[in-house]
Amino acid sequence: NMTKRISALILILAAICTLSCQPRNDKMAAPGFLSTTMDSVVMISAAVDVADEDGKIHVYDWSGSGWAADQKQLPDGSLKIMFRTAGHVLDVVDALESENEDGRVVSGWFTFTYQNGEKLRAPYTEARFEPGDSGYIWVFEDHWRPTLKDGDPSKVRLGDTLYAVGCPLGMGYSVTTGSLAMRISRIEDFLNVPCWLATVMVAHGNSGGPILNEGGEVVAHVVGVMAGTGWQFSILQPRR
């Protein structure tokens, strides 16, 4: 499972190198865009009912983070909004396999909760996936909502300040800062696309949350954590 793969990776990295990076000495006052950014970030909660061979229902749930990335009006006048996140937050099959669950999915829903308490829902079958650990889902909504703009990951330099916005531990909405420490072409058995290591502190539940540059644009999202004795890096997948 993912935990074992990351643990193996940590041991390998700890044996071959010592990683360190300090943020640049830039002014760290909270930028103005963060207050409006929070209006576009959501906690994503999954609830899946699975029937075993005897017909007994087992309920599985987990949570992550995401952001409103796009919206559109359909010909019939209805509105839909697109939430982006990490692929594993939306991957019901992978989540159940990690629990050694091979039963039949009876129903499954994602709930998207804004900071102000507003909620939207969509069936798990609407989820779509992209290369690496990236996914998105279109959800019906009843009014236009603010979205976050994509930035250019190629313009982010080592040492540049990054902001992670999300819902760690499903307890609330938070912002942490850090810097880009390293670029990696891929992480064996974990991520098969280019990724970043950063000093931004994240926790369980931050997965899928947006990573912003100093202009408030989304340049990556959280996919995991790499840690060892005395050090920790967040694993980020830059936007394509």
Side-chain angles (χ1 to χ4, degrees):
N1 59 34
M2 184 180 297
T3 301
K4 291 181 179 179
R5 293 199 297 267
I6 294 178
S7 297
L9 175 64
I10 290 170
L11 292 175
I12 294 171
L13 287 177
I16 63 173
C17 63
T18 300
L19 305 178
S20 64
C21 180
Q22 297 296 324
R24 299 184 314 176
N25 294 322
D26 292 333
K27 294 181 180 180
M28 293 302 292
F33 65 75
L34 286 178
S35 60
T36 54
T37 293
M38 300 303 284
D39 294 334
S40 301
V41 175
V42 293
M43 179 171 66
I44 303 175
S45 305
V48 180
D49 294 338
V50 179
D52 62 22
E53 58 183 8
D54 297 321
K56 183 177 180 180
I57 300 297
H58 302 268
V59 180
Y60 292 87
D61 57 77
W62 62 91
S63 67
S65 303
W67 74 97
D70 196 6
Q71 51 193 334
K72 62 184 177 182
Q73 185 170 28
L74 303 182
D76 63 3
S78 60
L79 303 176
K80 297 191 85 172
I81 189 166
M82 181 178 72
F83 294 112
R84 286 195 173 277
T85 183
H88 71 265
V89 174
L90 299 177
D91 195 339
V92 169
V93 173
D94 182 70
L96 296 179
E97 286 180 350
S98 70
E99 297 291 335
N100 296 316
E101 175 60 69
D102 57 1
R104 176 176 58 87
V105 176
V106 177
S107 67
W109 289 84
F110 292 111
T111 300
F112 306 85
T113 305
Y114 282 89
Q115 187 180 28
N116 65 4
E118 289 188 83
K119 299 178 185 289
L120 298 174
R121 296 181 76 220
Y124 79 98
T125 51
E126 294 297 308
R128 299 293 182 267
F129 302 94
E130 297 175 318
D133 191 356
S134 181
Y136 65 92
I137 185 169
W138 284 96
V139 182
F140 281 104
E141 59 175 343
D142 56 9
H143 63 272
W144 295 102
R145 301 170 188 267
T147 59
L148 298 182
K149 295 181 179 180
D150 279 348
D152 185 350
S154 68
K155 294 182 178 180
V156 179
R157 303 167 297 167
L158 294 179
D160 277 357
T161 300
L162 298 173
Y163 301 85
V165 187
C167 306
L169 307 176
M171 296 176 62
Y173 299 78
S174 71
V175 179
T176 57
T177 65
S179 61
L180 177 60
M182 181 181 295
R183 291 185 175 90
I184 297 178
S185 60
R186 63 191 296 269
I187 299 178
E188 181 123 15
D189 296 326
F190 178 63
L191 198 63
N192 60 0
V193 298
C195 60
W196 295 348
L197 298 185
T199 60
V200 182
M201 295 297 293
V202 298
H204 179 72
N206 270 113
S207 286
I211 297 293
L212 311 178
N213 61 17
E214 295 176 277
E217 301 167 320
V218 180
V219 291
H221 64 269
V222 179
V223 297
V225 174
M226 182 185 299
T229 303
W231 59 270
Q232 175 176 311
F233 289 96
S234 52
I235 306 172
L236 313 177
Q237 180 173 327
R239 297 289 304 132
R240 296 172 63 86

